[in-house]
Amino acid sequence: MSSAYPFSAVVGLADLRQALLLNAVSPVIGGVLVRGEKGTAKSTMVRALAALLPDIAVVPGCRFACDPSSPDPSCPDGPHAGVTASVRQSRLVELPVGATEDRVVGTLDVQRILTEGTKAYEPGLLAAAHRGALYVDEVNLLPDHLVDLLLDAAAMGRAFVERDGVSLRHAARFLLVGTMNPEEGEPRPQLVDRFGLVVEVGAPTEPGDRAEVVRRRLAYEADPEGFAVRFADEDAATAERIVAARARLPKVTLPDAALDRIARICLAYGVDGLRADIVIARTAVALAAWRDRSVVTDDEVDGAARLALPHRRRRDPFDPPGADQQALDDALDQAGASDPDGDPDPDDDPDGAGGPGSGPGPDDSPPPDDNGPGGGDAAAAPDAEDRPGGPKATPPPPAAAPVGSAYKTRTLTARSRGRYGHSGRRSPAYAARGRVAGSRAPRGRIGAVHLPDTVLAAARDQSARKGPLLTHSVNKGPFLAIQQHHLREAVHIGREANLVLFVVDASGSMAARARMAAVKSAVLSLLRDAYQRRDTVGMITFRDAEATTVLRPTASHEVGVRRLADLRTGGRTPLAAGLTAAARTLAGERRRDPLRRPLLVVVTDGRHTRGPDPRTVAPALAGVPSVVVDCESGPVRLGMARTLAGALDAEYLPLAALSAATLKAV
């Protein structure tokens, strides 16, 4: 078996290196989220960290890695009084994207409970990662409910299993590390905020560093063991430093002045809540312990803020992710501009007036307007191209209509109930979680047993055989004889996420700026609603002579917002081409992901001035849940969008009725 790539052999990535080491010193920081494009050594660095984690003492035979010096009193394998300790290496447990909830938190073996009367529990990955590290690659692709489980366990240090009236809990303290590629979609800001530290990584930009990366990688592949020996001393020194920092951690003092500075930094940066303050405090203490300091100073506070703050400032889910470095620098400077009591620096001018280089005061005259009378060349003779007989100037393309403010929309859903779907919050579907709607005979492994129907099936079977309803046993007393074929699986109805495909009319009939601004505002509101309901979105526009796929189906709703802002209008109306492109896109997505149901949203006034009649394309969209949003306005209306809705068997919705406020008023 080849050796893992050494931690010390990774070139660059100083911020990631520091974030991982600080979490190794103090896992209560809350873990690390690593953002970066493919091929930037994210996974290599995380896996290399496992070799540096200190060995741990465990209770022999305990599946939950209990510490012999302070065993978990609620450990399912306990009690552990008077046991002899054994030592083993800390584990790095990897969570695959396709894992189920049972695999993550563990599960009660309900079949054995019912058939044998034995309480059996199979631990999950959280138990395996206790006192070690849990690594989630492509965490942005993990279902939301699994991410919630991970982050809750990481924050509370315990995992909970609640199933069929049985409660079980165990310790689950681990270093949580997630990696992601932003090209594959952004996770919810609420989830990113739950990670203690977030680090952006990228490939080296210096030719010498890139060459060194390739040189070391080739050397590692040629001789993994020999390459590991080259960096063994550096890795050993780092591992010893982690152990020493852990020992110093409880002795580090966090003075009131440092806490005041943390509070001022967070206020200046504009973060919500108090999670950022707590994370910075914990990180600063760990950084002081790492630097062999007994008291936290401003240097540790500032270093912790640079790792813990940048991802916490997004006010809107469609704000671009990443750090606003200038805003962070300003917050640090502003926090240092006043004393711990909050008094402003006397040299500062809060009103921004009176200093050298300041702007004009109230009595200052504004500079002359270059475009006004006597204001320079603007009042001179017209350019030669504009003179009679001269060449005509090419008019600039019309500016894109602005996008108005988003508003809360009414919920658009697929009318039928899905058989199996993706976890989400839009359309009703049979799901693994949700309201119990009945039971059925199990199909493979049982997800959740429907106890009343299971007991009823067993009782009916014994009654049909004219045997006693209760079978007596010398040791266990009377009990109902439940066999394998009596088991019934609970059927849940929940909500699923859909593929919401927008088909937007961008033709000349939509070119009035006020009208298109209203349409863009409506589509933006629908995009926000799709984001909140965990949908995948796509967008097709049609104008002039063709339809254009401006956004292929993706989970990156932010990209859809940017494409919407750039959308221009003009030309004729090839409505049939837009519907044909939608049918082609949905057919391709159905082959790629047959479990995700589509929802087609057509935003148009219904006019078609180019190509065939759109009703001839309707059969290609048969069976696709659809909504037609009518953008027609004015005193005279042709009602062509309503006709289109009838041809598509779609829900018809005037643009004005899209707002949830309008619906409530009605």
Side-chain angles (χ1 to χ4, degrees):
M1 181 177 179
S2 62
S3 302
Y5 197 89
F7 188 83
S8 303
V10 178
V11 178
L13 305 182
D15 287 345
L16 175 56
R17 191 185 308 272
Q18 185 176 67
L20 291 174
L21 292 175
L22 292 180
N23 272 271
V25 172
S26 177
V28 296
I29 289 174
V32 184
L33 175 61
V34 190
R35 295 168 43 90
E37 298 178 352
K38 52 186 177 294
T40 50
K42 302 186 299 292
S43 300
T44 300
M45 181 74 95
V46 175
R47 293 190 176 103
L49 178 69
L52 305 183
L53 298 178
D55 293 342
I56 58 174
V58 297
V59 174
C62 177
R63 298 172 296 170
F64 302 89
C66 278
D67 187 351
S69 62
S70 58
D72 181 11
S74 61
C75 176
D77 286 355
H80 299 308
V83 297
T84 303
S86 63
V87 178
R88 67 166 175 81
Q89 187 177 12
S90 296
R91 294 172 179 166
L92 174 68
V93 177
E94 296 195 31
L95 173 65
V97 173
T100 62
E101 182 177 346
D102 289 349
R103 186 70 185 97
V104 175
V105 299
T107 179
L108 294 171
D109 194 336
V110 183
Q111 297 184 36
R112 288 185 60 189
I113 292 176
L114 292 177
T115 58
E116 301 176 12
T118 302
K119 182 178 179 180
Y121 173 73
E122 182 181 352
L125 296 177
L126 295 182
H130 178 47
R131 303 177 66 197
L134 182 63
Y135 172 43
V136 187
D137 193 14
E138 307 295 352
V139 67
N140 53 321
L141 303 182
L142 203 65
D144 288 338
H145 69 284
L146 294 187
V147 178
D148 291 335
L149 288 174
L150 293 178
L151 297 177
D152 287 342
M156 296 184 295
R158 306 197 69 80
F160 297 86
V161 180
E162 302 285 345
R163 291 196 56 181
D164 301 301
V166 180
S167 298
L168 186 144
R169 63 193 63 190
H170 63 82
R173 292 182 297 275
F174 48 82
L175 164 58
L176 177 62
V177 184
T179 58
M180 58 165 286
N181 182 353
E183 294 178 351
E184 296 172 342
E186 292 289 341
R188 290 180 290 157
Q190 298 89 337
L191 297 183
V192 177
D193 182 69
R194 297 289 295 276
F195 280 92
L197 310 178
V198 174
V199 179
E200 297 271 356
V201 299
T205 57
E206 294 295 329
D209 292 339
R210 298 179 72 95
E212 182 62 21
V213 170
V214 177
R215 186 179 299 111
R216 293 187 181 186
R217 187 67 196 186
L218 295 178
Y220 169 74
E221 293 175 353
D223 183 9
E225 286 76 11
F227 184 81
V229 170
R230 288 174 48 189
F231 296 90
D233 292 342
E234 294 182 55
D235 276 6
T238 304
E240 293 175 1
R241 191 174 176 184
I242 292 175
V243 174
R246 282 188 175 185
R248 283 191 296 268
L249 191 66
K251 305 173 185 177
V252 175
T253 301
L254 182 65
D256 289 342
L259 285 173
D260 291 340
R261 181 173 177 80
I262 291 171
R264 294 198 306 274
I265 291 173
C266 292
L267 288 173
Y269 196 64
V271 298
D272 295 326
L274 292 171
R275 183 175 289 123
D277 304 60
I278 296 172
V279 171
I280 293 176
R282 290 172 173 171
T283 307
V285 171
L287 186 55
W290 178 257
R291 293 175 175 176
D292 195 10
R293 293 179 178 175
S294 59
V295 179
V296 174
T297 67
D298 288 353
D299 288 341
E300 282 77 46
V301 171
D302 292 355
R306 293 187 184 280
L307 293 173
L309 278 185
H311 61 290
R312 302 183 188 276
R313 203 184 184 212
R314 294 173 69 180
R315 298 291 187 175
D316 187 274
F318 293 147
D319 287 344
D324 185 347
Q325 190 60 46
Q326 185 59 49
L328 181 55
D329 291 341
D330 292 344
L332 296 176
D333 292 341
Q334 184 175 342
S338 58
D339 61 28
D341 296 328
D343 297 329
D345 192 317
D347 294 333
D348 289 343
D349 188 0
D351 296 328
S358 61
D363 298 329
D364 294 332
S365 299
D369 188 354
D370 290 340
N371 295 323
D377 296 336
D383 189 81
E385 290 187 352
D386 297 328
R387 294 172 181 167
K392 294 294 184 180
T394 302
V403 181
S405 301
Y407 49 82
K408 183 175 178 59
T409 67
R410 62 181 296 178
T411 303
L412 307 181
T413 63
R415 286 175 290 183
S416 60
R417 183 175 297 165
R419 190 62 186 172
Y420 300 98
H422 291 262
S423 176
R425 298 170 54 191
R426 181 171 297 279
S427 301
Y430 295 106
R433 301 167 59 182
R435 177 175 59 86
V436 177
S439 66
R440 66 184 179 193
R443 303 171 180 176
R445 183 182 176 88
I446 296 180
V449 171
H450 195 286
L451 288 176
D453 285 3
T454 297
V455 173
L456 188 59
R460 287 173 177 168
D461 188 24
Q462 291 183 217
S463 176
R465 289 188 286 106
K466 297 182 180 180
L469 183 62
L470 298 178
T471 302
H472 293 268
S473 171
V474 176
N475 297 325
K476 300 182 179 180
F479 67 93
L480 185 66
I482 299 178
Q483 301 178 9
Q484 184 76 22
H485 65 276
H486 295 144
L487 296 177
R488 295 294 181 268
E489 181 179 18
V491 176
H492 298 269
I493 295 179
R495 294 279 171 177
E496 68 174 356
N498 298 115
L499 162 59
V500 182
L501 181 62
F502 297 96
V503 180
V504 182
D505 187 347
S507 64
S509 61
M510 310 289 289
R513 291 178 61 82
R515 183 177 184 184
M516 194 60 196
V519 170
K520 285 189 174 183
S521 179
V523 177
L524 174 64
S525 304
L526 291 171
L527 279 170
R528 184 191 293 271
D529 181 71
Y531 167 83
Q532 294 171 341
R533 299 183 186 281
R534 318 293 185 259
D535 294 317
T536 297
V537 296
M539 188 182 302
I540 295 172
T541 63
F542 56 92
R543 60 183 290 262
D544 201 10
E546 60 183 3
T548 304
T549 303
V550 297
L551 180 66
R552 296 187 179 278
T554 177
S556 295
H557 301 73
E558 299 89 344
V559 180
V561 173
R562 293 197 297 268
R563 302 285 170 83
L564 179 65
D566 296 336
L567 182 61
R568 300 177 185 273
T569 57
R572 305 185 73 179
T573 313
L575 178 54
L579 298 178
T580 301
R584 187 165 53 247
T585 299
L586 293 178
E589 288 299 307
R590 190 178 300 114
R591 291 190 296 269
R592 191 183 67 85
D593 187 0
L595 297 182
R596 189 178 292 274
R597 287 197 297 161
L599 177 62
L600 179 65
V601 180
V602 184
V603 185
T604 181
D605 57 8
R607 291 186 175 91
H608 57 280
T609 59
R610 184 163 191 152
D613 190 318
R615 290 176 293 183
T616 62
V617 185
L621 294 168
V624 176
S626 305
V627 178
V628 175
V629 179
D630 187 0
C631 303
E632 191 173 29
S633 60
V636 179
R637 306 193 181 190
L638 302 179
M640 301 181 71
R642 186 183 291 276
T643 302
L644 176 64
L648 295 175
D649 190 23
E651 179 183 358
Y652 171 79
L653 191 65
L655 182 63
L658 187 62
S659 169
T662 302
L663 180 66
K664 183 178 179 180
V666 172

